[in-house]
């Protein structure tokens, strides 16, 4: 049902806090529900033939939230990474993480690396999880790598181009997103994949992430297939 042109969907999973508030629950209860919905949506994306799904789970700026919320999120992550990926793995999904790993606790990083290792040869959908991710930080890190290569005389200024720059980002080897979906009604990008979404189609929905469904995903995909992507051409 999906057109070939839709290989990669990126999602900003926003609205867990407001969902929890509307139900008189804690913000972390909202994150827990949001994490469950991610598994359902990843499964749905596999079923409709999406090759790459990249989800924004925690931004570099989210470290500024209260200690209570951050430590609740990290505990949720520990539990989540330990036991939730069996079905995706059975369906041959490849799991990757992008972001500033050094800011995460080492036991969490160990679990992330284990999942990446276990799924590295899988041939199904690639699920990229952006954790402690910030796009400006990613771009600055790439610029630093270039500076090091140049100072060692491994490259000259003429070797720097868009293709080589892309390969130095966390998303090296992953095609750019065709479609970005943000839930919860906020109309902004919040430091997500700034380089990679230069020509992505954007879709904003008011649905809060914990209420997002496979049916809505399919509706958005249908909307996408009706759009004309021009890439600057007349
Ligand atoms: C998204 O939901 C999850 C994270 C950013 C970790 P929020 O926690 O931002 O939910 P709102 O925006 O406060 O409703
Ligand atoms: C973006 O949501 C990050 C994630 C969904 C993980 P935020 O809720 O952090 O974004 P802002 O602060 O509203 O821009
Ligand atoms: Mg938010």
């Amino acid at each position: 049902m999906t057109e070939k042109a839709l290989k990669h969907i990126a999602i900003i999973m926003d609205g867990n806090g407001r969902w929890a508030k509307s139900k008189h629950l804690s913000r972390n209860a909202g994150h827990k529900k949001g994490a469950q919905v991610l598994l359902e949506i990843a499964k749905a994306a596999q079923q409709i033939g999406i090759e790459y799904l990249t989800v924004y789970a925690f931004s570099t700026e989210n470290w500024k939230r209260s200690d209570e919320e951050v430590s609740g999120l990290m505990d949720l992550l520990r539990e989540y990474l330990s036991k939730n990926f069996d079905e995706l793995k059975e369906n041959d999904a490849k799991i990757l993480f992008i972001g500033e790993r050094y800011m995460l606790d080492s036991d969490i990083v160990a679990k992330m690396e284990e999942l990446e290792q276990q799924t590295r040869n899988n041939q199904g959908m690639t699920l990229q999880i952006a954790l402690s991710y910030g796009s400006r930080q990613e771009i600055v890190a790439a610029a630093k790598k270039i500076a090091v290569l140049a100072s060692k005389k491994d490259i000259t200024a003429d070797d720097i181009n868009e293709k080589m720059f892309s390969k130095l980002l966390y998303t090296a080897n992953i095609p750019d997103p065709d479609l970005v979906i943000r839930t919860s009604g906020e109309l902004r990008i919040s430091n997500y994949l700034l380089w990679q979404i230069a020509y992505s189609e954007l879709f904003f929905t008011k649905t809060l992430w914990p209420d997002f469904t496979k049916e809505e995903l399919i509706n958005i995909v249908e909307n996408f297939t009706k759009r004309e992507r021009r890439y600057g051409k007349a």
Side-chain angles (χ1 to χ4, degrees):
M1 71 147 288
T2 54
E3 293 212 337
K4 262 217 180 98
L6 180 49
K7 277 189 174 187
H8 186 176
I9 299 179
I11 306 182
I12 303 175
M13 308 184 290
D14 197 12
N16 295 347
R18 278 162 282 171
W19 179 89
K21 195 172 180 197
S22 76
K23 300 207 148 24
H24 308 286
L25 297 168
S26 66
R27 292 185 60 84
N28 282 321
H31 296 315
K32 192 164 185 182
K33 172 70 177 163
Q36 289 162 1
V37 169
L38 168 58
L39 293 176
E40 286 161 32
I41 295 302
K43 199 160 90 181
Q46 278 181 320
Q47 285 164 354
I48 63 176
I50 299 303
E51 287 178 50
Y52 302 91
L53 177 67
T54 302
V55 294
Y56 209 0
F58 190 80
S59 74
T60 43
E61 289 71 31
N62 290 149
W63 288 111
K64 293 182 217 152
R65 295 191 178 189
S66 71
D67 290 348
E68 189 193 349
E69 183 167 352
V70 171
S71 68
L73 270 163
M74 292 303 137
D75 288 342
L76 174 65
L77 196 55
R78 278 190 178 88
E79 196 193 320
Y80 192 75
L81 294 177
S82 305
K83 58 179 194 200
N84 280 306
F85 291 90
D86 291 350
E87 197 175 348
L88 278 166
K89 282 195 260 180
E90 278 161 27
N91 290 330
D92 214 22
K94 184 185 282 196
I95 297 159
L96 296 172
F97 294 91
I98 54 174
E100 307 291 307
R101 292 187 192 207
Y102 70 91
M103 297 176 84
L104 292 157
D105 284 348
S106 57
D107 66 304
I108 291 179
V109 176
K111 286 190 208 306
M112 288 157 56
E113 286 172 351
E114 192 185 324
L115 273 172
E116 288 183 328
Q117 201 56 35
Q118 288 169 345
T119 61
R120 60 188 291 219
N121 295 319
N122 288 0
Q123 302 290 317
M125 183 180 80
T126 297
L127 173 64
Q128 267 196 132
I129 305 178
L131 256 186
S132 187
Y133 174 85
S135 184
R136 286 186 168 181
Q137 292 85 341
E138 177 184 39
I139 291 169
V140 168
K144 282 188 185 168
K145 288 178 206 162
I146 289 178
V148 171
L149 291 170
S151 70
K152 289 202 227 142
K153 305 244 183 293
D154 288 340
I155 58 165
T156 68
D158 287 338
D159 295 320
I160 303 169
N161 55 46
E162 288 180 23
K163 198 169 166 201
M164 83 84 84
F165 199 89
S166 297
K167 294 264 184 225
L168 295 173
L169 299 173
Y170 296 134
T171 51
N173 306 317
I174 304 287
D176 289 340
D178 301 295
L179 171 64
V180 179
I181 301 169
R182 183 172 189 145
T183 59
S184 89
E186 305 300 348
L187 305 180
R188 54 179 171 266
I189 294 298
S190 305
N191 204 15
Y192 194 41
L193 302 172
L194 299 175
W195 169 281
Q196 297 88 339
I197 66 173
Y199 266 102
S200 305
E201 295 293 323
L202 307 179
F203 196 100
F204 298 95
T205 169
K206 288 196 170 133
T207 304
L208 302 173
W209 175 252
D211 291 325
F212 195 73
T213 59
K214 179 181 180 179
E215 288 66 39
E216 185 163 8
L217 179 69
I218 290 170
N219 285 338
I220 294 170
V221 166
E222 274 168 11
N223 174 293
F224 169 88
T225 58
K226 294 191 190 106
R227 295 191 188 185
E228 187 196 354
R229 300 178 78 187
R230 284 198 288 274
Y231 300 98
K233 291 178 220 148

